[in-house]
Amino acid sequence: MKVFSLALLTLLLAALWTGSQGFSLRSSYSTCCYKDMFIRKKIPLSNIKSYQKTPSHCSHRAVRVELLDGNKFCVDPKERWFQQYRRQKKSTSAST
């Protein structure tokens, strides 16, 4: 009974600690981009539905780009074509 109680307490504390960190173990893997996940070719700007920066706890700075068909790719935010897309998006939203 003591072993069960100790295991349950440990599990509870681990869950509380993970929650206090502001992210779950699942979300850190699903929102981060790793070295072999980056796409190197230019994505046509008209195919981009949305984009989101990766969280600061990720090891690589990246942007997750979602296409109109639902596919998601990791992109280096310094890519020239992506910078062009961001400027275009910013000027479009500023004019509306």
Side-chain angles (χ1 to χ4, degrees), residues 43-49 68 85 88:
I43 298 173
L45 304 182
S46 60
N47 289 355
I48 299 175
K49 178 180 179 181
L68 295 173
Y85 171 76
Q88 178 185 3

Side-chain angles (χ1 to χ4, degrees), residues 8-70:
L8 190 59
L9 179 63
T10 304
L11 185 61
L12 180 62
L13 289 174
L16 288 172
W17 178 80
T18 302
S20 70
Q21 297 300 312
F23 62 93
S24 69
L25 294 175
R26 187 179 143 261
S27 68
S28 66
Y29 288 112
S30 64
T31 58
C32 291
C33 293
Y34 301 98
K35 191 172 152 182
D36 58 336
M37 295 171 68
F38 283 82
I39 188 167
R40 301 287 180 220
K41 66 179 184 173
K42 178 182 176 182
I43 298 173
L45 304 182
S46 60
N47 289 355
I48 299 175
K49 178 180 179 181
S50 64
Y51 70 91
Q52 183 178 18
K53 292 180 182 179
T54 55
S56 60
H57 68 268
C58 296
S59 60
H60 289 84
R61 230 180 113 189
V63 175
R64 289 181 48 110
V65 174
E66 182 177 3
L67 304 184
L68 295 173
D69 63 7

